Amino acid sequence: MKKVHGNAKSTVVLKEGRTLMANGAGTKARVFKTRFNAEKFVRNMIRMSNSLKFKDFEFITF
């Protein structure tokens, strides 16, 4: 796991080039406050799925 440095404040998760969307909002991406929160969310999704793998996701921190 790679540590985030500098002024990074938010993380967005991509799967196959598309962002994970926020609940109820058709055009807004789900933005996590830290990369750790994003990874925790993805790990919970993987735990509930039979076909998802961690390598299928990309994390963009800005």
Side-chain angles (χ1 to χ4, degrees):
M1 196 177 320
K2 200 172 168 185
K3 290 208 173 210
V4 178
H5 297 289
N7 295 328
K9 304 240 185 257
S10 302
T11 300
V12 174
V13 179
L14 301 176
K15 182 182 183 299
E16 298 176 358
R18 295 183 158 189
T19 60
L20 294 181
M21 304 308 278
N23 289 340
T27 58
K28 286 192 173 182
R30 174 170 280 205
V31 179
F32 298 92
K33 286 192 174 198
T34 63
R35 182 178 169 117
F36 175 78
N37 288 346
E39 288 182 5
K40 188 167 70 170
F41 179 82
V42 168
R43 289 186 197 283
N44 285 337
M45 282 181 36
I46 291 169
R47 191 170 45 123
M48 302 307 270
S49 170
N50 292 327
S51 61
L52 292 176
K53 303 282 187 238
F54 196 76
K55 66 178 182 171
D56 296 336
F57 296 91
E58 294 178 58
F59 298 90
I60 298 177
T61 304
F62 53 95

